[in-house]
Amino acid sequence: MKKIKIIGGGLAGPEAALQAAALGCHVDLYEMRPHRSTEAHQTSDFAELVCSNSLKSESENTAPWLLKQEMRQAGSFLLQDADATAVPAGHALAVDRELFSQRVADRIAAQPLITVHREEVTHLDEHDTDTITILASGPLTSPALAAELQRLTGADHLAFYDSISPIVDATTIDMDKVYFAARYDKGTADYINCPFTKEEYETFLDALTTAENVESKDWEKFPVDGTANKLQYFEGCLPIEETARRGRDTLRFGPMKPVGLTDPKTGRWPYACVQLRQENLRADSYNLVGFQNHLKYSEQKRVLRLIPGLENASFLRYGQIHRNTYIHAPSLLTETLQLKAHPTIMIAGQLSGVEGYTESIASGMLAGRYAAALAKGSAPIPAPRLSANGSLTHYITHAEIKKFVPANITFDLLPPLEEELRKKMRDKKERHKLQCDRALHAWKEWLAPALVTAF
């Protein structure tokens, strides 16, 4: 049996290691922290959640729900730990960051087939045919390892900029000015809502759009079109100040959307609203949902205290921007996440072009299974196209080359229903339910042979 080497202790790496070990393979798991950290990580923990603590919607028959249902059926270890450390978050799966990381670490330590190496990997040996390597070093891959990957692929990396939302001390929130509510009263009222009047919103917007940004560091910059260095934000995770500059009402249709959040004091929706989501099981801290930004800390303190209820807030963490790197998967990867030119080397997680915590874990789950098959001398079978996992992988490996950008799981990635069914089902929820049923059926059929021997 071939050896399996996994580089990266974030989300995809540990999931891949645990999957491969569960299938009887010996795994060497490498993580460079704490000997070398990154610009965004704060700890050396496995599975540290750098940005928010949410793994997205748990609403039935949504795309994120479908992806997680498939992962649960496949025995995703990190999703089990996420479920076990969940905190109230309405229709979303959010976790206690510290407890989640600790459970992952404990699980890895308890697995005798996994050996952990706390050291930086700077070389990829494409000629070592006795080793299957999974590169899951994430969007903040070290410069030396990124240079190695660039050497192997012969292609330039793409990059975008991801963000971190601020976290506020719950004891410093003025609870007389805020209220608990779920949008349209669906589910439990787990979010704290900070309501704005029109005047308060305009004042906040003026302060936000004129606040001073952090000066970009050299490590953040990269050449665009071979000429100038510039920031390239990911559209799915824009800094709030960038969103605000696109129009006076843009925030009210984005992270400050008030619809469905009835204020019990007025009986009406506010003009705008900031939502706060619980960070941990102790409920002593909350993050500002969608409020990632690139402002100086002193400016954040000034501007964010203009949010009703946060006038005297103490911030446990301010928002940040960090560079995320990913490969051009359509040119480089097969549907089993192997490099086309070097099939013993695999790419998983955000480095492969999937975007999001859940998507990264899912990618690691597949990579671990594929690597185990390769280590045992078998040809891995790609996840079915009809499934959410298969559709996400299909997108990153078949996207239009010139328009490839990282992707979250959405119904747009899944194969559409037949035209006759689409005409019969005008209700979008019905169509999505049918797509989910179809996906789960295909997924179960794909899993069946592996489940006999693995779990």
Side-chain angles (χ1 to χ4, degrees), residues 54-94:
S54 173
L55 276 71
K56 300 180 185 173
S57 176
E58 283 282 70
S59 296
E60 192 172 0
N61 296 322
T62 61
W65 171 87
L66 174 61
L67 185 68
K68 288 195 284 289
Q69 287 300 97
E70 292 177 3
M71 294 165 67
R72 290 183 176 111
Q73 291 178 8
S76 167
F77 296 101
L78 266 66
L79 197 53
Q80 291 174 31
D81 292 332
D83 287 333
T85 58
V87 298
H91 278 243
L93 172 60

Coordinates of all heavy atoms in Angstrom, one line a residue, residues 54-94:
S54 N -19.9 30.2 11.0 CA -21.1 29.6 10.4 C -20.8 28.7 9.2 O -19.9 29.0 8.4 CB -22.0 30.7 9.8 OG -23.1 30.2 9.1
L55 N -21.4 27.5 9.2 CA -21.3 26.6 8.1 C -22.6 26.6 7.3 O -23.0 25.6 6.7 CB -21.1 25.2 8.7 CG -19.6 24.8 9.0 CD1 -19.1 25.6 10.2 CD2 -19.4 23.3 9.2
K56 N -23.2 27.7 7.3 CA -24.4 28.0 6.4 C -25.7 27.3 6.7 O -25.8 26.6 7.7 CB -24.0 27.8 4.9 CG -22.8 28.6 4.5 CD -22.5 28.4 3.0 CE -21.2 29.2 2.6 NZ -20.8 28.8 1.3
S57 N -26.6 27.4 5.8 CA -28.0 27.1 6.1 C -28.2 25.6 6.4 O -27.6 24.7 5.8 CB -28.9 27.5 4.9 OG -30.2 27.1 5.1
E58 N -29.2 25.4 7.3 CA -29.7 24.0 7.6 C -31.1 23.9 7.2 O -31.8 22.9 7.5 CB -29.5 23.7 9.1 CG -28.1 23.4 9.6 CD -27.7 22.0 9.2 OE1 -27.6 21.7 8.0 OE2 -27.6 21.1 10.1
S59 N -31.6 24.9 6.5 CA -33.0 24.9 6.0 C -33.1 23.7 5.0 O -32.3 23.7 4.0 CB -33.4 26.2 5.4 OG -33.4 27.2 6.3
E60 N -34.1 22.9 5.1 CA -34.3 21.7 4.3 C -34.5 22.1 2.8 O -35.1 23.1 2.5 CB -35.5 20.9 4.7 CG -35.6 19.6 4.1 CD -36.7 18.7 4.7 OE1 -37.4 19.3 5.7 OE2 -36.9 17.6 4.3
N61 N -33.8 21.4 2.0 CA -33.9 21.5 0.5 C -33.3 22.8 0.0 O -33.6 23.3 -1.1 CB -35.4 21.4 0.0 CG -35.9 20.0 0.3 OD1 -35.3 19.0 0.1 ND2 -37.2 20.0 0.7
T62 N -32.3 23.3 0.8 CA -31.4 24.4 0.2 C -30.1 23.7 -0.2 O -29.8 22.6 0.2 CB -31.1 25.4 1.3 OG1 -30.4 24.8 2.4 CG2 -32.4 26.1 1.8
A63 N -29.3 24.4 -1.0 CA -28.1 23.8 -1.5 C -27.1 23.5 -0.4 O -26.5 22.4 -0.4 CB -27.5 24.7 -2.6
P64 N -26.9 24.5 0.5 CA -25.9 24.1 1.6 C -26.4 23.0 2.5 O -25.6 22.2 3.0 CB -25.9 25.5 2.5 CG -26.3 26.5 1.5 CD -27.3 25.9 0.6
W65 N -27.7 22.9 2.7 CA -28.3 21.7 3.5 C -28.0 20.4 2.7 O -27.6 19.4 3.3 CB -29.8 22.0 3.6 CG -30.5 20.8 4.2 CD1 -30.7 20.4 5.5 CD2 -31.2 19.7 3.4 NE1 -31.4 19.3 5.6 CE2 -31.8 18.8 4.4 CE3 -31.4 19.5 2.1 CZ2 -32.5 17.7 4.0 CZ3 -32.1 18.4 1.7 CH2 -32.7 17.5 2.6
L66 N -28.2 20.4 1.4 CA -28.0 19.2 0.6 C -26.6 18.8 0.7 O -26.3 17.6 0.9 CB -28.4 19.5 -0.8 CG -28.1 18.4 -1.8 CD1 -28.8 17.1 -1.5 CD2 -28.4 18.8 -3.3
L67 N -25.6 19.7 0.6 CA -24.2 19.4 0.7 C -23.9 18.7 2.0 O -23.2 17.7 2.1 CB -23.3 20.6 0.5 CG -21.8 20.4 0.4 CD1 -21.4 19.6 -0.8 CD2 -21.1 21.7 0.5
K68 N -24.4 19.3 3.1 CA -24.2 18.7 4.4 C -24.9 17.4 4.6 O -24.3 16.5 5.3 CB -24.6 19.8 5.5 CG -23.7 21.0 5.6 CD -23.9 21.8 6.9 CE -25.1 22.6 6.8 NZ -25.0 23.8 5.9
Q69 N -26.1 17.2 4.1 CA -26.7 16.0 4.2 C -25.9 14.8 3.5 O -25.8 13.7 4.1 CB -28.1 16.0 3.6 CG -29.1 16.8 4.4 CD -29.4 16.2 5.8 OE1 -28.8 16.7 6.8 NE2 -30.2 15.2 5.9
E70 N -25.4 15.1 2.4 CA -24.5 14.2 1.7 C -23.3 13.9 2.6 O -22.9 12.7 2.7 CB -24.1 14.7 0.3 CG -25.2 14.8 -0.7 CD -24.8 15.4 -2.0 OE1 -23.6 15.7 -2.2 OE2 -25.7 15.5 -2.9
M71 N -22.7 14.9 3.2 CA -21.5 14.7 4.0 C -21.9 13.9 5.2 O -21.1 13.0 5.6 CB -21.0 16.1 4.4 CG -20.4 16.8 3.2 SD -20.1 18.6 3.6 CE -18.8 18.4 4.8
R72 N -23.0 14.1 5.8 CA -23.4 13.3 7.0 C -23.6 11.8 6.6 O -23.2 10.9 7.3 CB -24.7 13.9 7.6 CG -24.5 15.2 8.3 CD -25.8 15.7 8.9 NE -25.6 17.0 9.6 CZ -26.0 18.2 9.2 NH1 -26.8 18.3 8.1 NH2 -25.8 19.2 9.9
Q73 N -24.2 11.6 5.5 CA -24.4 10.2 5.0 C -23.1 9.5 4.7 O -22.9 8.3 4.9 CB -25.3 10.2 3.8 CG -26.7 10.6 4.0 CD -27.6 10.6 2.8 OE1 -27.1 10.2 1.7 NE2 -28.8 11.1 2.9
A74 N -22.1 10.3 4.3 CA -20.8 9.8 4.0 C -19.9 9.6 5.2 O -18.7 9.2 5.1 CB -20.1 10.6 2.9
G75 N -20.3 10.1 6.4 CA -19.6 10.0 7.6 C -18.5 11.1 7.7 O -17.4 10.8 8.2
S76 N -18.8 12.3 7.3 CA -17.8 13.4 7.5 C -17.5 13.6 9.0 O -18.4 13.9 9.8 CB -18.3 14.7 6.9 OG -17.6 15.8 7.3
F77 N -16.3 13.5 9.3 CA -15.9 13.6 10.7 C -16.0 15.0 11.3 O -16.4 15.3 12.4 CB -14.5 13.0 10.9 CG -14.3 11.6 10.6 CD1 -13.8 11.1 9.4 CD2 -14.8 10.6 11.5 CE1 -13.7 9.8 9.1 CE2 -14.7 9.3 11.3 CZ -14.2 8.8 10.1
L78 N -15.5 16.0 10.5 CA -15.6 17.4 10.9 C -17.0 17.9 11.0 O -17.3 18.7 11.9 CB -14.7 18.3 10.0 CG -13.3 18.5 10.5 CD1 -12.5 17.2 10.4 CD2 -12.6 19.6 9.7
L79 N -17.9 17.4 10.2 CA -19.3 17.8 10.3 C -19.9 17.2 11.5 O -20.8 17.9 12.2 CB -20.1 17.4 9.0 CG -21.4 18.1 8.8 CD1 -21.2 19.6 8.8 CD2 -22.0 17.7 7.5
Q80 N -19.5 16.0 11.9 CA -20.0 15.4 13.2 C -19.6 16.3 14.3 O -20.3 16.6 15.2 CB -19.4 14.0 13.4 CG -19.9 13.0 12.4 CD -19.2 11.7 12.6 OE1 -18.8 11.3 13.7 NE2 -19.1 10.9 11.5
D81 N -18.3 16.8 14.2 CA -17.8 17.7 15.3 C -18.5 19.1 15.3 O -18.7 19.7 16.3 CB -16.3 17.9 15.2 CG -15.5 16.6 15.5 OD1 -16.1 15.8 16.2 OD2 -14.5 16.4 14.9
A82 N -18.9 19.5 14.1 CA -19.6 20.8 14.0 C -21.0 20.6 14.6 O -21.5 21.5 15.3 CB -19.7 21.2 12.5
D83 N -21.7 19.5 14.3 CA -23.0 19.3 14.9 C -22.9 19.2 16.4 O -23.8 19.7 17.1 CB -23.6 18.0 14.3 CG -24.0 18.1 12.9 OD1 -24.4 19.2 12.4 OD2 -24.0 17.1 12.2
A84 N -21.8 18.6 16.9 CA -21.7 18.4 18.4 C -21.4 19.7 19.1 O -21.6 19.8 20.3 CB -20.6 17.4 18.6
T85 N -20.9 20.7 18.4 CA -20.5 22.0 19.0 C -21.3 23.2 18.5 O -20.9 24.3 18.6 CB -19.0 22.3 18.8 OG1 -18.7 22.4 17.3 CG2 -18.1 21.2 19.4
A86 N -22.5 22.9 18.0 CA -23.4 23.9 17.4 C -23.8 24.9 18.5 O -24.1 24.6 19.6 CB -24.5 23.3 16.7
V87 N -23.9 26.2 18.0 CA -24.5 27.2 18.9 C -25.8 27.7 18.2 O -25.9 27.6 17.0 CB -23.5 28.4 19.1 CG1 -22.3 27.9 19.8 CG2 -23.1 29.0 17.8
P88 N -26.7 28.4 18.9 CA -27.9 28.9 18.3 C -27.6 29.8 17.2 O -26.9 30.8 17.4 CB -28.6 29.5 19.5 CG -28.1 28.8 20.7 CD -26.7 28.6 20.4
A89 N -28.2 29.6 16.0 CA -27.9 30.5 14.9 C -29.1 30.4 13.9 O -28.9 30.4 12.7 CB -26.6 30.1 14.2
G90 N -30.3 30.3 14.4 CA -31.5 30.2 13.5 C -31.4 29.0 12.6 O -31.3 27.9 13.1
H91 N -31.5 29.3 11.3 CA -31.5 28.2 10.3 C -30.1 27.9 9.8 O -30.0 27.2 8.8 CB -32.4 28.6 9.1 CG -33.9 28.4 9.4 ND1 -34.6 27.5 8.7 CD2 -34.7 28.9 10.3 CE1 -35.9 27.5 9.1 NE2 -36.0 28.4 10.1
A92 N -29.1 28.4 10.5 CA -27.8 28.1 10.1 C -27.1 27.2 11.1 O -27.5 27.1 12.2 CB -26.9 29.4 10.0
L93 N -26.0 26.5 10.6 CA -25.2 25.7 11.5 C -24.0 26.5 11.8 O -23.1 26.7 11.0 CB -24.8 24.4 10.8 CG -23.7 23.5 11.6 CD1 -24.3 23.1 12.9 CD2 -23.3 22.3 10.8
A94 N -23.9 27.0 13.1 CA -22.8 27.8 13.5 C -22.2 27.0 14.7 O -22.9 26.3 15.4 CB -23.2 29.2 13.9

